[in-house]
Amino acid sequence: MEKKEFKIVVCLKVIHLLCSERGFDRIKRTIDPEYLVKMVNPADEYALEMALLLKERIEERRGHAEIFVLSIAPNSDEEILRRALAMGADSAFRIWEEGFETLNAMALAYLLSVTISRVGGDLIFCGKKSSDMNGNEVGGYLAEFLHLPQVSEVTSLNMSQEGDRMICRRKMERWGWDLVETSTPVVLTVERGENEPRYPNLFSILNWLEKEVKILDTASLGIDKNRLKEWDSLVRVIEWNRPKPKKVFTPKSDLPPEERIRLALTGGIEQKKAKFLLGEAREIVSQVVDLLLRQKILKTGGEK
């Protein structure tokens, strides 16, 4: 039987990216906020676009879908979340309380799961990973807390003909893909997909200023703070290091310009030379023996 009513939840994260190395003090190991750029995590934007496209398909089939945007973010990031409302989300919830900025991925997923349990959701979308932490943890924890199946690496989504199941196209290793059919409710972690996130038009941008972002905290959600601390203490990042820079090949300065350009483009890798042997089988065998002797791989009968 085709399902007519869908509640869709999209989990968003606002990330702060350093736009210039000048904003990082290597001695004090601090970051100047003036050099930070705030934006919605790209993978989460793809998840929102996938949810919006699904909503359009549901409404084409005379169904109804409502999209809730959910984020754990301070008041200073609220304007960034309003972009989701301008893109087409129906309502937005922001969870925040002092101390949330230090919570680990498991505790954040617990907060999201409690909120989703109250709001309700047939489809829960979130990005595969955030561009700042690159953790790829929240989606799995969230599915576990909600006791729901999870489909990862989703790049596109369609409904079945009956309208009661979802068909997910998943990205696989080595440029492959597969199709997974799942019932709802389900948690979907989204990879960079086939559809670029839409840009809000002027009317939507003006309209989002009138929409309210509902603010939630532990008291309104009925969360036990001791329980939250317990989840926060189970996993801890001990150390984090920047990846080592790759070595760049530099041609010698005394070489001719065209040779330096060639070596820079090829990374200093010389193209291997190939020799083709033509003729009948006996002639090719003789040529192979001669070649091995010239390369001193084989020795003549009198040599030791």
Side-chain angles (χ1 to χ4, degrees), residues 20-252:
S20 172
E21 288 294 332
R22 294 176 60 187
F24 179 67
D25 190 327
R26 297 183 181 277
I27 299 175
K28 297 180 180 179
R29 299 187 68 83
T30 56
I31 294 176
D32 186 348
E34 294 294 328
Y35 289 89
L36 289 177
V37 177
K38 297 180 182 180
M39 59 184 295
V40 175
N41 180 49
D44 297 343
E45 272 201 309
Y46 277 93
L48 178 57
E49 178 64 25
M50 191 176 294
L52 292 169
L53 290 173
L54 178 63
K55 178 183 177 180
E56 292 169 0
R57 295 191 191 102
I58 292 171
E59 291 176 347
E60 286 174 1
R61 300 170 71 159
R62 298 184 180 181
H64 176 72
E66 192 172 3
I67 297 178
F68 301 88
V69 172
L70 184 59
S71 181
I72 302 173
N75 182 55
S76 58
D77 294 342
E78 186 169 303
E79 291 303 316
I80 306 299
L81 295 176
R82 289 183 181 275
R83 176 181 171 83
L85 295 172
M87 290 175 68
D90 297 290
S91 56
F93 296 86
R94 181 172 64 84
I95 311 168
W96 192 251
E97 198 170 289
E98 187 178 352
F100 281 6
E101 63 272 10
T102 60
L103 294 178
N104 64 17
M106 184 175 287
L108 295 174
Y110 176 68
L111 281 172
L112 293 172
S113 67
V114 173
T115 310
I116 292 170
S117 297
R118 284 177 169 265
V119 174
D122 301 297
L123 287 159
I124 296 93
F125 290 86
C126 57
K128 173 188 172 183
K129 58 186 177 183
S130 61
S131 298
D132 54 354
M133 299 301 293
N134 201 30
N136 195 11
E137 298 176 88
V138 173
Y141 290 142
L142 183 59
E144 183 66 22
F145 281 126
L146 293 171
H147 305 289
L148 295 178
Q150 177 196 5
V151 182
S152 60
E153 309 281 350
V154 180
T155 59
S156 66
L157 184 68
N158 285 301
M159 293 179 64
S160 64
Q161 290 292 335
E162 297 76 17
D164 59 342
R165 301 178 73 82
M166 297 295 156
I167 301 172
C168 309
R169 183 181 174 115
R170 298 177 63 244
K171 182 180 179 181
M172 304 294 290
E173 293 183 2
R174 300 183 183 276
W175 306 100
W177 57 270
D178 63 359
L179 293 177
V180 176
E181 188 177 79
T182 179
S183 59
T184 57
V186 63
V187 176
L188 305 176
T189 53
V190 177
E191 177 65 280
R192 183 181 177 94
E194 302 170 5
N195 300 291
E196 292 290 330
R198 65 193 65 186
Y199 189 83
N201 57 41
L202 180 59
F203 176 79
S204 299
I205 293 173
L206 294 175
N207 189 39
W208 86 20
L209 299 174
E210 302 177 0
K211 291 188 177 181
E212 178 188 2
V213 177
K214 299 176 183 178
I215 304 172
L216 304 172
D217 56 14
T218 53
S220 59
L221 292 172
I223 295 175
D224 184 355
K225 292 187 177 181
N226 293 326
R227 185 67 169 167
L228 185 62
K229 290 180 181 178
E230 180 183 344
W231 292 120
D232 188 48
S233 64
L234 292 180
V235 178
R236 183 67 58 189
V237 177
I238 299 175
E239 185 178 359
W240 182 86
N241 289 313
R242 287 176 176 268
K244 294 181 180 179
K246 295 181 179 180
K247 292 182 179 180
V248 179
F249 174 78
T250 305
K252 294 180 180 180

Side-chain angles (χ1 to χ4, degrees), residues 279-286:
E280 298 292 335
R282 290 184 180 180
E283 295 175 356
I284 291 177
V285 170
S286 177

